[in-house]
Structures are given as C-alpha cells and as structure tokens.
Amino acid sequence: MAATYVKDRELAAYRWGLRIFLVSQSVPFILIFADWYMFDGYYVSPKVNGWLGAVEILLDLLSGLIAWQAVVAIRHNRLMEMVQGFRRAAVLGSLQLFILAYQWGTRFIPPGTRYGEVYFTLTGVSGFYELVGIFVLIAISFRAARVQFTDEYHWDADAALYFWIFQMVGSLLSYLFLYWI
C-alpha cells in the first residue's frame, strides 16, 4: 500500500511539473499575439494563402485525434496500436511542417512588412513546437517497445499526448490570428 501511495504522489508531481512546463512554454505565443495587436492591428494580408493554412490545421487536428486514440489504446493494454498511432500522428505532423516550409519558400507574404514579420515569427514558433512534438512522439513510440507500457504505467505516453495537444492548440490559435482575425 505504501508503494502505491508513493507512485501516486510521484505521478501527481510529474503532472504538475508538466503543467508548469506547458504554461511556461505558452509565453512566446502570448507575447507574439500581443505584438500582433500592438503593432499590426486587425490586418490580414490579401496575399496569405488561407487554403494551405486550413490544410495545415486539418492535418494537425487529425494528428491530435490519432494521438489521443493511441493513448486510449494503451489504456486498454494495446501497445502496438499506441506505437502505430503515435507514428501516424508524427507523419501527419511532418506533412504539416512540409506545408509550412512550402509557404515560407514561396514567400506568399513579404517578410519585410509588419504582417510578414508577425507571420514568420508566429509560424516559426509554432513550427518549432511542432518539430519538438514530432520528436517526442517518435521517441515515445520507440521507448514503448523497450519499456513495455501497460494500462497502469504509461505516463510517458500521456505526457507526449499533452505536449502534442499543447502544440496543436498553439497552431490553431496561430492559424486563427494569422488568417481570420
């Protein structure tokens, strides 16, 4: 009974630590959103390609759903479904990064304008968290085969999902601010 109590307290400490980490990582998004309104107002460039942005967000939402299903699978002791789900989510995240790289490469938005500065900064921060999230999903999928997560021990998979959802929310807010608001 004492061992269970210690494990529960340790898991609670991990969860609080991850929450504090995610809140601290939201600061760049908050600052860039604040700069957006302070410097640029409510301006959306007519040169922005909203369809590519929408495809990015759809891929991101689909990858989030797949990652969530992967964690549900491990909660039911289906390890291989979790591994495959995380890898599929990472592939969709990579496709989203390729679309972002295409948008940056074609320079739909001139980088020298105020909108361009905010656009490239915000999509760069969002893309960075996407890249980190892809690494996390891939690392957890490889780690799962070595550690053998179970329905009782899968905190690493939960943490990967929480980070993936964090970056998904950041990307969604970035899309809304850059393409609609």
Side-chain angles (χ1 to χ4, degrees), residues 22 33 58 76 85 103 141 145 181:
L22 292 178
F33 294 150
L58 288 175
H76 291 85
Q103 286 183 336
S141 69
I181 297 177

Side-chain angles (χ1 to χ4, degrees), residues 34-131:
D35 285 346
W36 167 256
Y37 285 112
M38 189 168 75
F39 292 128
D40 210 37
Y42 296 96
Y43 169 73
V44 175
S45 174
K47 295 180 181 180
V48 72
N49 191 337
W51 290 105
L52 282 178
V55 169
E56 277 187 71
I57 291 306
L58 288 175
L59 286 173
D60 208 16
L61 293 174
L62 183 60
S63 71
L65 177 65
I66 290 171
W68 176 72
Q69 289 173 341
V71 171
V72 168
I74 195 59
R75 290 179 183 161
H76 291 85
N77 254 348
R78 297 190 308 260
L79 180 66
M80 285 313 295
E81 286 183 37
M82 186 210 74
V83 169
Q84 291 170 350
F86 274 177
R87 289 180 183 170
R88 282 188 213 120
V91 166
L92 289 175
S94 299
L95 287 174
Q96 182 185 359
L97 280 179
F98 285 128
I99 292 172
L100 176 65
Y102 172 75
Q103 286 183 336
W104 278 17
T106 56
R107 303 249 182 189
F108 290 123
I109 309 298
T113 64
R114 291 237 185 236
Y115 182 84
E117 291 171 0
V118 172
Y119 176 84
F120 284 104
T121 303
L122 192 53
T123 55
V125 169
S126 181
F128 170 74
Y129 285 118
E130 182 90 22
L131 185 63

